Amino acid sequence: NNHSDDKNTYIIQLGSSSGRDLEFFLKIFPKLNYISTDVNDEILDFQKEKYSYPNLKYFKCYAEDIDECINHFKISDKNIILFSSGSLQYVVPFFLEKFFQKIKNYKNLDLFISEPVRLSFIDNNNNKSISDNRDHISFSHRYDEYAKNSNLRIIENQVIRPYSIDDNQHSQTGHFDLQISN
């Protein structure tokens, strides 16, 4: 919150979907700059029609190409806050590693991740893999291991277990929350 009036702060959402998360922050911190990213033109076009804030920009890119977004807007020397809420689960391990390797190059960058994971994968300490296929197109990732492998500084790291072990449908679903700061 120490950046709430700083026009040199940019909040970038990875995989912004409807754009509602960015609008939520925009209403609380109206002086900051916002960039909506997604891999889908239709999603970005929808947002452009729905939201008309002068400090909200759009950029089509995959997570591993976040450097292209940062370079496009010429903000590498600005305060950058990246966040993902449910989007990085769709990034295959090879590209997730590239993403973490790229963000370590930005000195004024904070990353906030809140992603679903399969708890049995997270709890299995014998598993040497840092990613596992969760469903048809999504993965459980040990995001903290990707951060450590890229020499990024972890501020907070936790796995949230919102469901009872008696919940047959959701008992193995958790949320991986991670905050990184350069």
Side-chain angles (χ1 to χ4, degrees):
N1 200 7
N2 61 342
H3 298 297
S4 63
D5 289 328
D6 185 357
K7 293 189 185 273
N8 286 318
T9 297
Y10 289 76
I11 296 179
I12 304 172
Q13 184 174 10
L14 302 165
S16 56
S17 193
S18 70
R20 301 276 294 168
D21 294 334
L22 286 171
E23 184 183 43
F24 172 82
F25 289 117
L26 228 154
K27 288 183 177 183
I28 296 172
F29 306 110
K31 295 180 182 176
L32 301 181
N33 300 288
Y34 297 86
I35 301 172
S36 172
T37 70
D38 208 283
V39 300
N40 190 309
D41 283 321
E42 288 82 11
I43 287 173
L44 294 173
D45 290 342
F46 166 80
Q47 288 182 29
K48 289 173 187 176
E49 288 179 23
K50 186 168 176 73
Y51 307 112
S52 60
Y53 300 100
N55 54 336
L56 173 59
K57 308 294 183 216
Y58 305 92
F59 193 79
K60 181 181 178 181
C61 74
Y62 292 91
E64 67 271 15
D65 296 326
I66 194 61
D67 57 326
E68 293 176 15
C69 174
I70 292 169
N71 292 336
H72 175 80
F73 291 104
K74 298 176 177 53
I75 60 171
S76 62
D77 61 339
K78 308 293 184 193
N79 298 315
I80 299 171
I81 300 170
L82 286 175
F83 78 97
S84 176
S85 180
S87 293
L88 288 178
Q89 68 176 318
Y90 299 110
V91 179
V92 298
F94 175 81
F95 292 115
L96 190 63
E97 184 177 341
K98 288 181 76 170
F99 166 75
F100 275 93
Q101 287 293 316
K102 286 182 178 182
I103 65 170
K104 76 177 182 181
N105 297 319
Y106 300 99
K107 298 302 173 211
N108 298 319
L109 185 140
D110 291 290
L111 172 66
F112 296 87
I113 295 173
S114 181
E115 297 288 333
V117 292
R118 184 183 317 112
L119 293 172
S120 59
F121 170 72
I122 297 300
D123 294 341
N124 183 353
N125 292 332
N126 297 329
N127 191 338
K128 301 292 185 206
S129 176
I130 60 174
S131 292
D132 187 46
N133 188 290
R134 198 172 90 236
D135 285 313
H136 299 292
I137 59 170
S138 64
F139 293 85
S140 288
H141 298 293
R142 290 189 172 102
Y143 298 96
D144 55 337
E145 294 299 323
Y146 282 95
K148 290 175 191 173
N149 291 344
S150 296
N151 296 316
L152 292 163
R153 185 169 58 106
I154 296 173
I155 304 299
E156 187 172 343
N157 178 22
Q158 66 178 335
V159 175
I160 299 171
R161 299 164 188 273
Y163 303 106
S164 164
I165 58 171
D166 299 326
D167 184 334
N168 292 334
Q169 185 175 3
H170 299 104
S171 66
Q172 283 301 307
T173 302
H175 292 276
F176 202 114
D177 286 358
L178 180 70
Q179 178 188 358
I180 296 167
S181 185
N182 281 353

